[in-house]
Coordinates of all heavy atoms in Angstrom, one line a residue:
L319 N 96.8 -76.4 -7.8 CA 95.7 -75.8 -8.6 C 94.4 -75.7 -7.8 O 94.1 -76.6 -7.1 CB 95.5 -76.7 -9.9 CG 96.6 -77.0 -10.8 CD1 96.1 -77.8 -12.0 CD2 97.3 -75.7 -11.3
F321 N 90.2 -73.7 -8.0 CA 89.2 -72.9 -8.6 C 88.9 -71.7 -7.8 O 88.7 -71.8 -6.6 CB 87.9 -73.6 -8.8 CG 87.9 -74.7 -9.8 CD1 87.8 -76.1 -9.5 CD2 88.0 -74.5 -11.2 CE1 87.9 -77.1 -10.4 CE2 88.1 -75.5 -12.1 CZ 88.0 -76.8 -11.7
T354 N 99.5 -78.8 -19.6 CA 98.9 -78.9 -20.9 C 98.1 -80.2 -21.0 O 98.3 -81.1 -20.2 CB 99.9 -78.8 -22.1 OG1 100.8 -79.9 -21.9 CG2 100.6 -77.5 -22.1
G355 N 97.2 -80.3 -21.9 CA 96.4 -81.5 -22.1 C 95.4 -81.8 -21.0 O 95.0 -83.0 -20.8
L356 N 95.0 -80.8 -20.2 CA 94.0 -81.0 -19.2 C 92.6 -80.9 -19.7 O 92.3 -80.3 -20.8 CB 94.3 -80.0 -18.0 CG 95.7 -80.0 -17.4 CD1 95.7 -79.0 -16.3 CD2 96.1 -81.4 -16.9
F357 N 91.7 -81.4 -18.9 CA 90.2 -81.3 -19.2 C 89.4 -80.9 -18.0 O 89.8 -81.1 -16.8 CB 89.7 -82.7 -19.7 CG 90.3 -83.2 -20.9 CD1 91.5 -83.9 -21.0 CD2 89.6 -82.9 -22.1 CE1 92.0 -84.4 -22.1 CE2 90.2 -83.4 -23.3 CZ 91.4 -84.1 -23.3
A358 N 88.4 -80.1 -18.3 CA 87.4 -79.8 -17.3 C 86.3 -80.9 -17.3 O 85.6 -81.1 -18.3 CB 86.8 -78.5 -17.5
K359 N 86.2 -81.7 -16.2 CA 85.3 -82.8 -16.1 C 84.1 -82.3 -15.3 O 84.3 -81.8 -14.2 CB 85.9 -84.0 -15.5 CG 85.0 -85.2 -15.3 CD 85.7 -86.3 -14.5 CE 84.8 -87.5 -14.3 NZ 85.5 -88.6 -13.5
W361 N 79.8 -82.9 -14.1 CA 78.6 -83.8 -14.0 C 77.7 -83.3 -12.8 O 78.2 -82.6 -12.0 CB 79.0 -85.2 -13.9 CG 79.5 -85.6 -12.5 CD1 78.8 -86.2 -11.5 CD2 80.8 -85.4 -11.9 NE1 79.6 -86.4 -10.3 CE2 80.8 -85.9 -10.6 CE3 82.0 -84.9 -12.5 CZ2 81.9 -85.9 -9.8 CZ3 83.1 -84.9 -11.7 CH2 83.1 -85.4 -10.4
E368 N 81.0 -85.0 -18.6 CA 81.4 -84.4 -19.8 C 82.9 -83.9 -19.6 O 83.3 -83.5 -18.5 CB 80.5 -83.2 -20.2 CG 79.1 -83.6 -20.5 CD 78.9 -84.2 -21.8 OE1 79.8 -84.0 -22.7 OE2 78.0 -85.0 -22.0
Y369 N 83.6 -83.9 -20.8 CA 85.0 -83.4 -20.7 C 85.2 -82.3 -21.7 O 84.7 -82.4 -22.9 CB 86.0 -84.6 -21.1 CG 86.0 -85.7 -20.1 CD1 85.1 -86.7 -20.1 CD2 87.0 -85.7 -19.1 CE1 85.1 -87.7 -19.1 CE2 87.0 -86.7 -18.1 CZ 86.1 -87.7 -18.2 OH 86.1 -88.7 -17.2
Y370 N 85.8 -81.2 -21.3 CA 86.0 -80.1 -22.2 C 87.5 -79.7 -22.0 O 88.0 -79.5 -20.9 CB 85.1 -78.9 -21.8 CG 85.0 -77.8 -22.9 CD1 84.3 -78.0 -24.0 CD2 85.8 -76.7 -22.8 CE1 84.2 -77.1 -25.0 CE2 85.7 -75.7 -23.8 CZ 85.0 -75.9 -24.9 OH 85.0 -74.9 -25.9
V372 N 91.0 -77.8 -21.6 CA 91.4 -76.6 -20.9 C 92.7 -76.1 -21.6 O 93.6 -76.9 -21.9 CB 91.7 -76.9 -19.4 CG1 92.4 -75.7 -18.7 CG2 90.4 -77.3 -18.7
V402 N 82.7 -79.9 -10.7 CA 83.7 -79.5 -11.7 C 85.1 -79.9 -11.2 O 85.4 -79.7 -10.1 CB 83.7 -77.9 -11.9 CG1 84.7 -77.5 -13.0 CG2 82.3 -77.4 -12.2
E403 N 85.8 -80.6 -12.1 CA 87.1 -81.1 -11.8 C 88.1 -80.7 -12.9 O 87.7 -80.6 -14.1 CB 87.2 -82.6 -11.6 CG 86.4 -83.1 -10.4 CD 86.5 -84.6 -10.2 OE1 86.9 -85.3 -11.2 OE2 86.2 -85.0 -9.1
I404 N 89.3 -80.5 -12.6 CA 90.4 -80.4 -13.6 C 91.1 -81.7 -13.5 O 91.7 -82.1 -12.5 CB 91.4 -79.2 -13.3 CG1 90.6 -77.9 -13.4 CG2 92.5 -79.3 -14.3 CD1 90.0 -77.6 -14.7
V405 N 91.1 -82.4 -14.6 CA 91.7 -83.8 -14.6 C 92.8 -83.9 -15.7 O 92.7 -83.2 -16.8 CB 90.6 -84.9 -14.8 CG1 89.6 -84.8 -13.7 CG2 90.0 -84.8 -16.2
K406 N 93.7 -84.8 -15.5 CA 94.7 -85.2 -16.5 C 94.5 -86.7 -16.8 O 94.3 -87.5 -15.8 CB 96.1 -85.0 -15.9 CG 97.2 -85.3 -16.9 CD 98.6 -84.9 -16.3 CE 99.7 -85.2 -17.3 NZ 101.0 -84.8 -16.7
K407 N 94.4 -87.0 -18.0 CA 94.2 -88.4 -18.4 C 95.6 -89.1 -18.2 O 96.6 -88.8 -18.8 CB 93.8 -88.5 -19.9 CG 92.5 -87.9 -20.2 CD 91.3 -88.7 -19.7 CE 90.0 -88.2 -20.1 NZ 88.9 -89.0 -19.6
N408 N 95.5 -90.2 -17.4 CA 96.8 -90.9 -17.0 C 96.5 -92.4 -17.2 O 95.8 -93.0 -16.3 CB 97.2 -90.6 -15.6 CG 98.6 -91.1 -15.3 OD1 99.2 -91.8 -16.1 ND2 99.1 -90.7 -14.1
K411 N 92.9 -93.4 -16.8 CA 92.3 -92.9 -15.6 C 92.4 -91.4 -15.4 O 93.2 -90.8 -16.0 CB 92.9 -93.6 -14.4 CG 92.8 -95.1 -14.4 CD 93.4 -95.8 -13.1 CE 93.2 -97.3 -13.1 NZ 93.8 -97.9 -11.9
D412 N 91.4 -90.9 -14.7 CA 91.4 -89.4 -14.4 C 92.2 -89.1 -13.2 O 91.9 -89.5 -12.1 CB 90.0 -88.9 -14.2 CG 89.1 -89.0 -15.5 OD1 89.7 -89.2 -16.6 OD2 87.9 -88.9 -15.4
E413 N 93.3 -88.3 -13.4 CA 94.0 -87.8 -12.2 C 93.5 -86.4 -11.9 O 93.6 -85.5 -12.7 CB 95.5 -87.7 -12.6 CG 96.4 -87.1 -11.4 CD 97.8 -86.9 -11.8 OE1 98.2 -87.4 -12.9 OE2 98.5 -86.3 -11.1
V414 N 92.9 -86.3 -10.7 CA 92.2 -85.1 -10.4 C 93.2 -84.1 -9.8 O 93.8 -84.4 -8.8 CB 91.0 -85.3 -9.3 CG1 90.3 -84.0 -9.0 CG2 90.0 -86.3 -9.9
L415 N 93.3 -82.9 -10.4 CA 94.2 -81.9 -9.9 C 93.5 -80.8 -9.2 O 94.2 -80.1 -8.4 CB 95.0 -81.3 -11.1 CG 95.7 -82.3 -12.0 CD1 96.4 -81.5 -13.2 CD2 96.7 -83.1 -11.2
A416 N 92.2 -80.6 -9.4 CA 91.4 -79.6 -8.7 C 90.0 -80.0 -8.8 O 89.6 -80.5 -9.8 CB 91.7 -78.2 -9.2

Side-chain angles (χ1 to χ4, degrees):
L319 304 183
F321 291 110
T354 58
L356 302 183
F357 293 87
K359 177 183 178 181
W361 76 97
E368 294 288 334
Y369 293 84
Y370 193 79
V372 173
V402 185
E403 293 181 343
I404 298 300
V405 301
K406 182 177 183 179
K407 297 288 187 180
N408 191 353
K411 296 183 179 180
D412 292 345
E413 178 186 351
V414 179
L415 303 180

